[in-house]
Structure formats: C-alpha cells, structure tokens
Amino acid sequence: QIGIIQHFPSPGISKAANMLQNQLVYQSTYVKQISENELKWKVKNLYFEIQYKKEVEKLYSNLLFTYADYYDKAKVRVDVGAANSIEALTLKAKWKEYELLLRQVKIELNSLNQQFQLLLNSNEAVTIKDSLNTIFIPSTTVDTTSNVFLLLSKQNVAIENAKVDVLRSELMPSFNVGYAAQNFNQGGWLNAVQAGISIPLFKNQAKKRIEAQKMQIDIAAYHYDDKVLAIRQALLQAQNTIDLYQEGIDFYKEQIDAFNPELTRISQLNYQAGELTYLELLNTLDLMATNSKYYWEQIIAHNKAVADFQFLTNQ
C-alpha cells in the first residue's frame, strides 16, 4: 500500500509570511546602515583625537624649548648676581615638567595610532598628516523622513503589523490532495485520488493572540514617537554644542593671533632687561600655554559635536 498526501496552505498564509520576511529584510538593511554609520563615527572621533594629540605634542615641544632657553638666561643672571638661584631652579622644574608631558603625549599618540590601525583593519601603520582644523556641517537641514534611526523604529511598527496578518492567516482554511494505491492479492492494484479542505474550528486562542499582537503594534508606535522626540533633542543638543565651542574657538584664536605674540615679545624684552620677575614670567608663559591648549580643546570638542550631528543625520 502506498499513500501520498500534499498539503497546500491558503494563499493568504503564504502572502502574510512573505510580507513578514520582507519587513525583516528591510529591518536588517537599516541595522546594517546604522552599523556602518557607527563605524564612521568611531573613525572620525579617533582621527580627531590623534590630530589633537599631535597639536599638543607640538605645543609641549615649543614650551620645552622656551623654558630651556629661559633657564639658560636665568643661570647667567644667577652667576652675575642679578637673580636668586630659586629662579633658575623653578624654570628648570617647568622645563623638566614639559619634558615629562612630551614623553607622555608621545606614548598616548603611539597607543592611538595602534587603535586607529586596528579600527581600519590595516596590516600597515596608518599616519595622519593634516593638522587639526575646524570642520563644518555640510547641511543642518534635518529630514526625519529619511533618518535611518526613525526608519528603523518605524520598521518595527511594520513588523508588528505583519505579525498580525500572519496570526490572522492561521484562521484561514488549508487544502490537501492525495494519491493512494493498494495491491490486492485477488483484485490487483486499486488506485484512488483524494482532495480535502481543513477549516480551523477552535479560534478563541488565535483571536486572543491577535489582540495581544495588536497591543504590540501600539507599543511599537509609542516607541517610534519617543524616538522622534529623542532624535530631535539629540540634534538640538548637538547644534547647541557646535555653537558653544565655535564661540570658544573664535575667542582663543584671537588670543593666540593677537595676544600671545605680543606677550612673547614683551616678556622677552623685559626679562632680559631685568624688569620682569621670574614669577611674572611664569604667569605669562602659563597664560600663553593655556590659550593654546584651550584653543585645540575647543576645536576637537567642536569637531566631535559635528561628528555626532553627522551620525544622527546619516551624513
């Protein structure tokens, strides 16, 4: 005896299942795009960090040379009795301090370069040639209809809707056809073909599952509204942060371009003439170093805020 039965689900069942799979594919596409954007964001931030450390390295090198030069002058002043030995020792201490800071920043740079090489999945060392400069946003226009984070959140709503259609399709009838053959000792082979339909009779449980799934649609919709608000708040904060640090960049750039050169000129002349104490000299040098360091800090903070804005807007 041989029997074969083939079941055929309702076309609505196949359609609902295919629609759910399509929605899941769209979701995976958005997740992939977010992952790529996140990798770009990490590369940008690490790139800015290396640029910043290079600027700090140059700053410490210049300060080391400056303090060493003033230390030599202080020794001459001490030898001729024009200054106390504390003056030379203090300048030497600051000189040695910047030697230490320079060694430390070199170690940090080496570590950052190794991280950058790993992030880029490169077998060769990667070097950064350009200096740290302020970057600007190509566009501040925010299109929520094409924002990948909102598209992903909206896609979750579509998936929950598709799941409802799948559950509803379980209430549809299914079909089957079959073929049977049996060999009788006296009568030989007997063949038969059958066709049937299966209709779900107990639907209460399936209906309850549908009602529960509809609540998941509402939850997903609430999450989407919450995501829209969160994205707008994050973009507003990023824009405010960019404006904030742009103000700092403008201020400290003026300090570096206008005040630092004049302070350098006056301090050199007055110290050589003996009209500037070493404490006043130290304060002047600290002020110039602070202006320069704060300037680079404002730029890297500004650029990282721009990177955040670009990450949130898929730029």
Side-chain angles (χ1 to χ4, degrees), residues 286-299:
D286 284 340
L287 177 60
M288 291 189 294
T290 299
N291 286 339
S292 298
K293 195 166 188 298
Y294 281 177
Y295 173 67
W296 298 119
E297 287 177 355
Q298 299 291 311
I299 290 183

Side-chain angles (χ1 to χ4, degrees), residues 124-261:
E124 299 179 357
V126 181
T127 58
I128 295 177
K129 296 182 178 180
D130 55 334
S131 57
L132 182 62
N133 294 304
T134 306
I135 62 174
F136 299 96
I137 304 175
S139 173
T140 56
T141 303
V142 179
D143 184 9
T144 56
T145 60
S146 63
N147 186 280
V148 66
F149 295 100
L150 299 183
L151 289 175
L152 177 60
S153 184
K154 185 181 292 186
Q155 190 60 33
N156 293 333
V157 180
I159 289 174
E160 299 302 332
N161 274 297
K163 288 180 180 179
V164 170
D165 293 335
V166 171
L167 293 175
R168 284 175 176 167
S169 68
E170 295 178 1
L171 301 177
M172 298 179 181
S174 59
F175 308 93
N176 63 80
V177 295
Y179 169 79
Q182 185 172 0
N183 186 13
F184 293 91
N185 292 331
Q186 297 179 354
W189 286 95
L190 180 64
N191 302 290
V193 178
Q194 69 176 37
I197 180 171
S198 299
I199 301 175
L201 298 178
F202 304 100
K203 302 181 179 180
N204 289 336
Q205 185 177 6
K207 290 180 178 179
K208 290 180 179 179
R209 291 169 59 190
I210 292 174
E211 292 300 322
Q213 184 58 39
K214 287 181 178 179
M215 294 180 63
Q216 293 299 321
I217 296 176
D218 294 336
I219 294 173
Y222 293 146
H223 286 169
Y224 172 75
D225 294 337
D226 183 65
K227 192 66 176 180
V228 171
L229 179 60
I231 289 293
R232 288 177 177 174
Q233 289 177 336
L235 290 172
L236 179 61
Q237 182 178 358
Q239 287 177 323
N240 291 336
T241 303
I242 293 171
D243 295 337
L244 173 71
Y245 286 113
Q246 185 61 54
E247 290 289 332
I249 291 172
D250 295 339
F251 173 79
Y252 285 109
K253 181 172 178 55
E254 182 181 359
Q255 295 290 312
I256 292 175
D257 293 343
F259 293 98
N260 277 18

